[in-house]
Amino acid sequence: MRKTAKFLTLAVALAATFTGTAKADEGFSIGADIISTYVWRGTELSDSPSIQPSLSYTFSGIGIEIGAWGSYAIDDKADGTRYKEIDLYASVPVGPVTLTVTDYCDAAADNSFDFSQDGPNVVELSASYGIDDLSLLAAINVAGKEGSAKNAVYCEAGYQFYDKDGYTASGVIGAGDQAFYGDTLSNGFTIVNTGISVSKDRYTASYVYNPDSEKSVLAFMASF
């Protein structure tokens, strides 16, 4: 993940959703993604291919969903460690908006539920909204690890502009606090995530460019 640790995540490349999970109207759902490179909100968190399993339960009628999502790198990093992450979340629809609380956790830590300022967890509150082909997301860290993670804000807009012959294509632009999402320790709020994602069936290819770090990533994902 970012500067303060190596945790954090969710979704590859462009999506702010759990793309590999087969959503259910109610009851349990499971899924998994296999990705070439793990990218989150414009930043490459692991350059190793990774397996990203997920499970969730949706409550009938009220639409509340609780779930878990993880990312496990296949290869070791140069220091001999291997990227691991487990995130827990709960989301509830409130009119046209969905509110979500997510706990991002460095799964390599000794205590998975240490929410101290030096612990492995960051708790985020987010609101998402979608209408037709447009999606909007706003998120803020509200608890857990401090440093650059404390109260870090991220906002994102996505738009699906192509749907033909089984292919769909979407673009995204996201901005966040530089100290947490960017490539510097300044306190500015800047664009950190741009890109395009093309999907067909269970496969997605994404090109991501972070204007702040001036780095780009091309990622491929298969969802099951």
Side-chain angles (χ1 to χ4, degrees):
M1 110 110 259
R2 305 308 350 262
K3 300 174 172 57
T4 51
K6 48 191 172 60
F7 61 6
L8 266 237
T9 315
L10 270 201
V12 81
L14 307 179
T17 55
F18 304 88
T19 51
T21 303
K23 295 294 184 183
D25 292 334
E26 63 174 285
F28 285 103
S29 180
I30 61 173
D33 296 333
I34 298 175
I35 63 169
S36 61
T37 302
Y38 180 21
V39 183
W40 183 71
R41 295 180 180 174
T43 297
E44 183 181 68
L45 299 183
S46 172
D47 60 3
S48 164
S50 301
I51 299 174
Q52 300 181 329
S54 62
L55 66 87
S56 64
Y57 185 88
T58 301
F59 293 88
S60 175
I62 51 180
I64 293 177
E65 179 180 332
I66 58 175
W69 182 95
S71 185
Y72 295 84
I74 295 174
D75 294 329
D76 291 344
K77 295 185 291 186
D79 62 4
T81 62
R82 188 171 298 187
Y83 188 94
K84 296 186 291 184
E85 173 185 338
I86 300 175
D87 307 330
L88 304 177
Y89 69 92
S91 65
V92 55
V94 181
V97 177
T98 298
L99 301 178
T100 301
V101 176
T102 304
D103 170 34
Y104 299 96
C105 179
D106 177 2
D110 293 332
N111 185 350
S112 297
F113 295 99
D114 177 4
F115 291 91
S116 69
Q117 63 180 17
D118 298 321
N121 295 276
V122 170
V123 180
E124 177 191 87
L125 176 63
S126 66
S128 59
Y129 174 76
I131 180 170
D132 298 329
D133 295 324
L134 176 67
S135 63
L136 301 172
L137 169 75
I140 182 172
N141 295 340
V142 295
K145 195 174 188 68
E146 296 192 353
S148 64
K150 186 177 182 179
N151 301 134
V153 173
Y154 178 80
C155 298
E156 180 181 285
Y159 185 74
Q160 179 178 302
F161 58 87
Y162 184 92
D163 186 355
K164 185 177 181 181
D165 299 330
Y167 287 89
T168 59
S170 303
V172 68
I173 183 169
D177 288 324
Q178 260 181 310
F180 188 62
Y181 293 102
D183 200 37
T184 69
L185 295 178
S186 68
N187 294 320
F189 188 80
T190 189
I191 296 174
V192 295
N193 184 20
T194 65
I196 181 174
S197 180
V198 179
S199 299
K200 181 177 176 57
D201 300 327
R202 64 177 70 246
Y203 306 107
T204 300
S206 301
Y207 175 80
V208 180
Y209 177 69
N210 185 327
D212 190 56
S213 66
E214 300 182 342
K215 295 178 180 177
S216 59
V217 177
L218 180 62
F220 183 82
M221 176 176 69
S223 301
F224 300 92

